[in-house]
């Protein structure tokens, strides 16, 4: 097959030689042939050396590299990549085990598949394309998922309305590429929950907090827990299993609160320790008392772009400051940022300012990040996005 060729400007090949999978539009000298958005293109250095093959897109990231060696991107390619991803999840004991059937199968660049996310919930895989190329390849990818996963995955839901570049005008509609509607109960570390991949946020659940929820469970015994920004209650049911005295879950979305109640009920029927509130975080934090001794703060990404970074850091500072002011002595705070543009250092600085403002003595017990099924390609440090601190407040 003939591909368009993209020739880079002199010296612009270095990052590709180091396996960084993006070609920025500014690095391009010329394009031979006519490449449409989403097409496969070959990238060459100014000296004519082959550098990689990937998906072309109009925008600042012009090419997302799929392979650094010259090879066809065909059914075998997708199967190979999917097999590699699945094997890793088996090695991590997340797939094919009794107490867990919820995990990220494909984490974009971290699985050498830039632009593609796949989360698995029991027998359903939810697939999300972030590039036009992955959108065009969706049927072939779905076939590879079914081939590799065998009986483990029966349904594939494609959910890319909110993630594909708007300007590409693809008019994509979300829907099933294989199988259909089921009400599966997902399982994470032995805890059960409903996932609404059709109407829920992201792919339906925040798989990336699994390890951090497990850690929280260990600190929960006898504590009064506030799970702020609870979404569908992930941290709450772990806290309950950990023996919390009470758990209050708060989220501004009443739909999320409805699912939180169902999920807690599913694991701990008629357990009076849990209450859920659909309310704005700041309003709740202002009006609440000083009775909590374990607080989780897991807000949505405050900064989606670099130019709003300052405001985001102010947001983190303000949020954490109220928690520091109100938590009981001997209390523990699990605080997170999932903004990719907020660095670990910046986040820590924001939390430091909040601590200083409150005048409390604070120690860092753990520094948290994303779990192993969200691997970071070492040549693509941008893939690291989740940051968390566990703090002991004297
Ligand atoms: N901790 C969750 C994920 C949190 S996602 C888990 O483990 O699954 C962030 C959540 O913050 C979303 O559910 C969103 O509805 C909620 N949210 C956004 N703005 C909010 C606000 N101002 N007050 C309360 N909740 C808010």
């Amino acid at each position: 097959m003939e591909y368009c060729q993209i020739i880079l400007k002199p010296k612009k090949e270095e990052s590709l030689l180091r396996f960084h999978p993006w070609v920025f539009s500014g690095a391009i000298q010329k394009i031979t042939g006519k490449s449409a958005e989403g097409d496969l293109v070959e990238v060459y250095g100014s000296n004519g050396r082959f550098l990689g093959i990937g998906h072309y897109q109009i925008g600042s990231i012009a090419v997302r590299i799929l392979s650094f060696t010259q090879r066809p991107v065909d059914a075998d390619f997708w199967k190979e990549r999917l097999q590699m991803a699945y094997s890793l999840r088996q090695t991590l004991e997340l797939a094919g085990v009794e107490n867990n059937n919820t995990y990220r199968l494909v984490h974009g660049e971290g699985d050498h598949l830039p632009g593609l996310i796949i989360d698995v919930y029991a027998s359903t895989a939810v697939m999300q394309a972030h590039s036009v190329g992955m959108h065009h390849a969706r049927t072939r990818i779905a076939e590879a998922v079914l081939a590799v996963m065998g009986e483990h995955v029966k349904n594939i839901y494609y959910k890319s309305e909110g993630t594909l570049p708007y300007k590409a005008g693809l008019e994509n509609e979300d829907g099933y590429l294989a199988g259909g509607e089921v009400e599966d109960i997902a399982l994470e570390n032995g805890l059960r929950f409903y996932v609404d991949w059709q109407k829920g946020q992201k792919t339906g659940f925040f798989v990336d907090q699994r390890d951090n929820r497990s850690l929280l469970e260990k600190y929960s015994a006898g504590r009064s827990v506030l799970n702020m920004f609870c979404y569908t209650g992930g941290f709450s049911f772990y806290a309950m299993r950990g023996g919390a005295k009470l758990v209050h879950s708060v989220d501004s979305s009443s739909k999320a609160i409805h699912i939180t109640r169902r999920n807690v009920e599913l694991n701990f029927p008629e357990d009076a320790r849990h209450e859920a509130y659909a309310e704005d975080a700041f309003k709740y934090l202002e009006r609440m008392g000083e009775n909590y001794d374990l607080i989780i703060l897991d807000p949505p990404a405050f900064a989606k772009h670099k130019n709003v970074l300052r405001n985001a850091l102010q947001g983190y500072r303000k949020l954490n400051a109220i928690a520091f002011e109100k938590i009981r002595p001997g209390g523990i705070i699990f605080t997170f940022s999932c903004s990719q543009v907020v660095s670990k250092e910046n986040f820590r600085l924001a939390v430091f300012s909040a601590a200083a403002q409150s005048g409390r003595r604070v120690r860092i017990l753990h520094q948290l990040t994303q779990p192993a099924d969200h691997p970071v390609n070492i040549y693509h440090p941008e893939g690291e996005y989740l940051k968390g601190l566990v703090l002991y407040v004297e």
Side-chain angles (χ1 to χ4, degrees), residues 201 206 213 229-231 235 251-253 279-281 298-300:
Q201 301 178 35
F206 289 84
R213 292 182 188 121
F229 307 97
C230 69
Y231 188 44
F235 282 101
D251 199 285
S252 57
S253 151
E279 197 171 330
D280 173 75
D298 185 21

Side-chain angles (χ1 to χ4, degrees), residues 6-30 43-52 60 62-63 65 68:
I6 287 188
I7 320 291
L8 300 188
K9 291 179 186 161
K11 297 214 175 65
K12 290 294 182 188
E13 68 281 2
E14 273 160 33
S15 69
L16 287 187
L17 290 172
R18 267 186 276 113
F19 308 120
H20 190 286
W22 294 347
V23 176
F24 289 99
S25 55
I28 296 176
Q29 176 91 285
K30 68 169 184 194
V43 182
Y44 290 85
S46 56
N47 58 0
R49 175 176 175 172
F50 174 86
L51 296 169
S60 136
V63 186
I65 299 290
F68 292 96

